[in-house]
């Protein structure tokens, strides 16, 4: 018997609904992006994001069902991002999911947003454990070790520092590029030359933690000092030099961690997984080594609901169900989520 999970994602600036079959196959996938509305503010404005989600959610839901011959009666469970994310934005998705699940008496499942990003890769290929996930999104840079479904152990992270995507967006703003800056820097980086050897933060030996704030400051200072001297760098060259520094650290730390934990697969997840430079460098580094390398297709790197349904499918199979008092959980940690997933209800 096939299992169909309806996924809902509204944690940031995309209103998304998807239907996924057996945790691995996309049946419908609709994403309404708000990027155009936030662009003029140079970043996501939480109030505006919430309002857009309220306006969009019903249409996006209808659109997802329209893409299929299915109705809500064919759905086995409703999975929704409960956190982390913007509280007002999360609330829209959580309440839509609760209303739908309650009205149609379907099981409700709360999903961790980063678990979703990781499970976007299961829409590409079945997982082989142990696996290592490099999570690179707007809010997180983490190496996550998984020994089983639902078992997420963070072996390295950005602690209180900027996440990789955040560093991209801040450097882009300094270069006066439009929001979100990541894709634009990626594009410029293909056209520039390495002109500056920006710092790489390796931190103490054996650490799998990341820190990009020093690099971000180095880029800002370099541009500022050049301006004071009346000189100017080409945007492309700054982009190439900055990207080389980010990619070097991400690839090297992932490689060392993959060897250390002898994993069978290395998967890359989150918005920055769309980065051409990162994809090429990871492919080159892991070409001759044993762990198999997985990337989601570009469309599943940034926020979407197919990944939430995919992660929700695993929770559903393991018997996890949310109560009707499920709430938005903006600070939901991976540790807490993992503990919940590994406990038998
Ligand atoms: O995973 P995501 O969609 O949202 C969060 O969960 O945070 O990631 C968004 C981030 C943004 O910072 C954006 O600039 C970055 O991913 N991003 C990229 C690329 N595409 C998106 N960064 C570098 N290169 C890209 N091609
Ligand atoms: Zn995300």
């Amino acid at each position: 018997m096939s299992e169909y999970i309806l996924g809902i994602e509204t944690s940031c600036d995309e209103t998304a609904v998807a239907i996924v079959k057996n945790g691995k196959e996309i049946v419908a996938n609709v994403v309404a992006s708000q990027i155009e509305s936030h662009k003029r503010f140079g970043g996501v404005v939480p109030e505006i994001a919430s309002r857009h989600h309220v306006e969009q959610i019903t249409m996006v839901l209808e659109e997802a069902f329209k893409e299929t011959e299915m109705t809500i009666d064919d759905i086995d469970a409703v999975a929704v991002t409960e956190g982390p994310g913007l509280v007002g934005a999360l609330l829209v998705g959580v309440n839509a999911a609760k209303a739908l699940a309650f009205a149609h008496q379907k099981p409700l499942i709360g999903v961790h947003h980063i678990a979703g990003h990781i499970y976007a890769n299961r829409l590409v290929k079945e997982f082989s454990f142990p696996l290592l996930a490099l999570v690179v999104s707007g809010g997180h840079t983490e190496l996550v070790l998984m020994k089983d479904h639902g078992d997420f152990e963070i072996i390295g992270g950005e602690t209180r520092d900027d996440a990789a995507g955040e560093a991209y967006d801040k450097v882009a703003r300094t270069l006066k590029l439009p929001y979100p800056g990541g894709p634009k820097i990626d594009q410029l980086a293909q056209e520039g030359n390495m002109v500056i050897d920006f710092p790489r933060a390796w931190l103490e030996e054996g650490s799998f933690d990341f820190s990009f704030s020093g690099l971000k400051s180095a880029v800002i200072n370099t541009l500022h000092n050049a301006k004071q001297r009346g000189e100017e760098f080409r945007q492309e060259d700054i982009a190439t030099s900055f990207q080389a520094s980010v990619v070097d650290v991400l690839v090297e730390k992932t490689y060392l961690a993959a060897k250390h934990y002898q994993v069978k697969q290395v998967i890359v997840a989150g918005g920055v997984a769309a980065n051409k430079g990162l994809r090429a460098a990871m492919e080159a580094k892991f070409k001759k080594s044993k762990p198999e390398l997985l990337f989601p297709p570009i469309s599943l790197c940034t926020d979407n609901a197919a990944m939430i349904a995919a992660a929700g499918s695993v929770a559903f199979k393991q018997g996890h169900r949310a109560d009707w008092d499920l709430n938005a959980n903006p600070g939901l940690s991976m540790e807490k989520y993992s503990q919940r997933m590994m406990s038998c209800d």
Side-chain angles (χ1 to χ4, degrees):
M1 259 278 282
S2 296
E3 162 229 86
Y4 293 93
I5 306 287
L6 179 76
I8 300 181
E9 152 67 39
T10 63
S11 69
C12 192
D13 60 347
E14 334 274 354
T15 316
V17 175
I19 300 169
V20 167
K21 182 179 171 184
N22 298 331
K24 296 180 199 174
E25 199 185 309
I26 296 179
V27 178
N29 187 24
V30 181
V31 180
S33 174
Q34 309 176 356
I35 285 178
E36 284 308 316
S37 304
H38 297 285
K39 226 177 200 165
R40 65 195 169 109
F41 301 105
V44 178
V45 183
E47 290 289 315
I48 294 176
S50 312
R51 205 170 324 145
H52 275 299
H53 286 310
V54 171
E55 286 165 8
Q56 296 285 329
I57 188 73
T58 313
M59 270 185 294
V60 176
L61 261 163
E62 279 171 5
E63 191 64 34
F65 279 107
K66 232 189 275 168
E67 279 190 6
T68 72
E69 301 279 284
M70 298 172 68
T71 70
I72 184 77
D73 295 330
D74 303 312
I75 297 294
D76 293 287
V78 180
V80 62
T81 308
E82 75 173 270
L86 302 168
V87 64
L90 287 165
L91 270 170
V92 178
V94 167
N95 282 311
K98 275 160 75 167
L100 205 61
F102 187 76
H104 298 275
Q105 286 303 298
K106 302 287 177 188
L108 177 69
I109 295 160
V111 174
H112 190 287
H113 182 76
I114 297 300
H117 273 301
I118 292 174
Y119 271 87
N121 283 281
R122 198 168 173 235
L123 297 164
V124 178
K125 195 162 184 196
E126 183 55 277
F127 285 174
S128 305
F129 300 107
L131 68 77
L132 181 71
L134 169 66
V135 176
V136 271
S137 73
H140 296 80
T141 312
E142 276 157 5
L143 281 167
V144 180
L145 181 67
M146 290 183 72
K147 294 187 185 131
D148 202 350
H149 283 297
D151 181 6
F152 306 95
E153 184 192 343
I154 298 179
I155 58 155
E158 84 276 7
T159 57
R160 279 173 296 275
D161 211 292
D162 286 341
E166 231 172 326
Y168 264 96
D169 293 337
K170 286 180 182 167
V171 166
R173 211 175 304 163
T174 311
L175 288 172
K176 305 210 163 37
L177 300 171
Y179 175 84
K184 192 72 197 157
I185 291 201
D186 189 13
Q187 187 196 331
L188 289 172
Q190 316 300 315
E191 298 155 17
N193 301 312
M194 270 289 289
V195 292
I196 303 166
D197 193 17
F198 283 127
R200 279 121 173 100
W202 299 111
L203 308 178
E204 67 272 23
E205 180 139 359
S207 165
F208 298 127
D209 285 338
F210 298 97
S211 173
F212 292 110
S213 60
L215 167 62
K216 179 197 67 187
S217 304
V219 176
I220 293 171
N221 289 341
T222 303
L223 290 170
H224 180 77
N225 294 342
K227 201 172 169 193
Q228 301 251 303
R229 289 196 303 269
E231 294 168 13
E232 219 175 312
F233 282 105
R234 289 169 66 223
Q235 282 182 329
E236 298 89 315
D237 294 343
I238 293 290
T240 306
S241 307
F242 163 75
Q243 181 149 304
S245 181
V246 176
V247 167
D248 246 15
V249 176
L250 291 177
V251 172
E252 195 58 31
K253 290 218 177 207
T254 307
Y255 184 74
L256 292 175
K259 264 208 324 211
H260 186 268
Y261 290 96
Q262 305 216 320
V263 295
K264 294 205 181 106
Q265 277 177 340
V266 169
I267 66 183
V268 189
V272 185
N275 188 273
K276 287 193 202 74
L278 178 63
R279 291 171 92 98
M282 287 290 281
E283 265 157 20
K285 187 81 182 178
F286 285 92
K287 202 173 180 178
K288 292 196 193 87
S289 71
K290 226 192 281 143
E292 179 185 29
L293 181 66
L294 297 185
F295 281 102
I298 304 282
S299 62
L300 296 179
C301 288
T302 44
D303 292 348
N304 63 86
M307 67 184 199
I308 301 303
S313 161
V314 168
F316 178 66
K317 275 214 180 66
Q318 290 178 340
H320 296 281
R321 306 286 183 267
D323 294 327
W324 295 121
D325 63 358
L326 177 72
N327 205 348
N329 205 340
L332 179 63
S333 74
M334 200 84 201
E335 287 88 344
K336 199 155 173 214
Y337 182 72
S338 188
Q339 273 166 16
R340 194 208 294 167
M341 292 290 290
M342 297 313 287
S343 70
C344 308
D345 286 337

